[in-house]
Amino acid sequence: PPRVVVITSGKGGVGKTTTTANLGMCLARLNFKVVAIDADVGLRNLDLLLGLENQVKYTAMEVLNGECRLDQALIRDKRWTNFELLCINKPRYKMPLGFGGKALTWLVDALKKRPEGMPHFILIDCPAGIDAGFITAITPANEAILVTTPDITSLRDADRVTGLLECDGIKDIKMVVNRVRSDMIKGEDMMSVLDVQEMLGLPLLGVIPEDSEVIKSTNRGYPLVLKNPPTLAGLALEQIAWRLVEQDSMKAVLIEE
């Protein structure tokens, strides 16, 4: 069966959507069929990061209302045709009260039963916060990637989200530490990845260094992992994709090592 992975954090602005876009593209390049679902119904951004905003004609809401088929709402990326995007709602549209975890589970089940074959990975981009949108996004998932940055506010939110994921029955939770700066760690102005892992007690899926190319790729709608030559952050995301496939983790070490 497909692996349904929710990418979450609790805190906003830590890099969930960037991680989802690049991770999905990496998996597609490894010849896996991938469907990325933008579950942030109020502030949709995944299509912008992938450069697919002009191709969104139908969303999951039209599918649920019977106005179009599921395959019409799925946007296939022309660069890697085994990568598809599904948006839940259009910007500025009011979200119907009936949409929740059951509706998202129905969509995931429908993706599994597609005549052209089920995807290998379904990545769910979770909205920030721990309100109804968060509960909806985690409902169909059986794995979670927790994205955090090495600052105390992000870590407190990540710790709270870990508890909520475990309460929902998701035991396979791995952590990605984003925006790490070795110069600040050496100057003791930033917590090390080892400190972060000791605080959260989660397996480490990967570490992404601070990289100015991330902003450039976001503004251009061109995933960082497609950039040639590759950047440090792009290489880190590729390694994260490999570890996700292999269901592996990495070991944090002190910066001196």
Side-chain angles (χ1 to χ4, degrees):
R3 290 171 63 185
V4 185
V5 185
V6 63
I7 291 141
T8 183
S9 72
K11 190 175 186 296
V14 297
K16 291 185 298 293
T17 305
T18 304
T19 303
T20 307
N22 285 281
L23 203 53
M25 201 57 74
C26 279
L27 292 168
R29 292 172 74 188
L30 294 171
N31 290 325
F32 291 101
K33 289 181 182 176
V34 183
V35 175
I37 301 176
D38 192 342
D40 194 342
V41 293
L43 303 168
R44 194 184 83 195
N45 286 321
L46 190 54
D47 56 328
L48 288 170
L49 268 70
L50 291 163
L52 301 173
E53 67 275 11
N54 295 327
Q55 296 182 43
V56 181
K57 292 183 175 66
Y58 299 107
T59 65
M61 292 318 305
E62 280 89 5
V63 177
L64 293 167
N65 292 333
E67 296 168 26
C68 73
R69 300 186 309 274
L70 178 61
D71 60 308
Q72 289 177 299
L74 285 163
I75 302 148
R76 195 179 294 275
D77 195 291
K78 290 177 182 176
R79 294 161 296 201
W80 293 90
T81 54
N82 50 343
F83 179 88
E84 293 174 301
L85 170 68
L86 177 64
C87 296
I88 300 292
N89 202 24
K90 289 179 181 175
R92 301 183 184 178
Y93 279 40
K94 192 177 284 187
M95 198 64 201
L97 294 172
F99 186 82
K102 285 184 179 179
L104 190 58
T105 303
W106 182 89
L107 285 168
V108 169
D109 288 341
L111 287 168
K112 293 177 183 178
K113 296 170 185 174
R114 290 174 71 194
E116 55 267 47
M118 64 176 74
H120 299 104
F121 285 90
I122 298 171
L123 304 179
I124 302 172
D125 183 22
C126 185
I130 52 170
D131 55 5
F134 168 80
I135 301 300
T136 298
I138 69 171
T139 301
N142 43 42
E143 295 178 50
I145 295 174
L146 190 71
V147 183
T148 185
T149 51
D151 59 83
I152 53 170
T153 54
S154 182
L155 291 172
R156 175 185 276 184
D157 292 353
D159 189 48
R160 175 83 173 113
V161 164
T162 303
L164 293 171
L165 290 168
E166 288 172 346
C167 287
D168 200 63
I170 301 173
K171 304 299 181 188
D172 189 351
I173 309 168
K174 291 189 175 72
M175 173 179 68
V176 169
V177 185
N178 194 16
R179 292 181 188 157
V180 174
R181 288 182 56 177
S182 56
D183 57 331
M184 289 185 72
I185 294 171
K186 284 177 181 174
E188 298 185 352
D189 295 316
M190 179 181 276
M191 276 183 279
S192 70
V193 178
L194 199 61
D195 294 334
V196 172
Q197 193 171 23
E198 284 175 358
M199 286 182 72
L200 295 178
L202 294 172
L204 184 62
L205 191 63
V207 179
I208 305 171
E210 183 73 73
D211 193 339
S212 61
E213 290 294 329
V214 174
I215 297 170
K216 293 178 187 176
S217 72
T218 300
N219 290 334
R220 291 170 185 161
Y222 191 81
L224 191 68
V225 292
L226 299 180
K227 187 174 172 60
N228 195 12
T231 65
L232 281 172
L235 289 169
L237 284 156
E238 285 184 13
Q239 290 169 0
I240 288 166
W242 272 111
R243 291 191 195 102
L244 181 66
V245 170
E246 298 290 338
Q247 295 184 313
D248 198 3
S249 59
M250 67 178 282
K251 186 180 179 183
V253 294
L254 291 170
I255 199 75
E256 288 80 15
E257 297 179 58

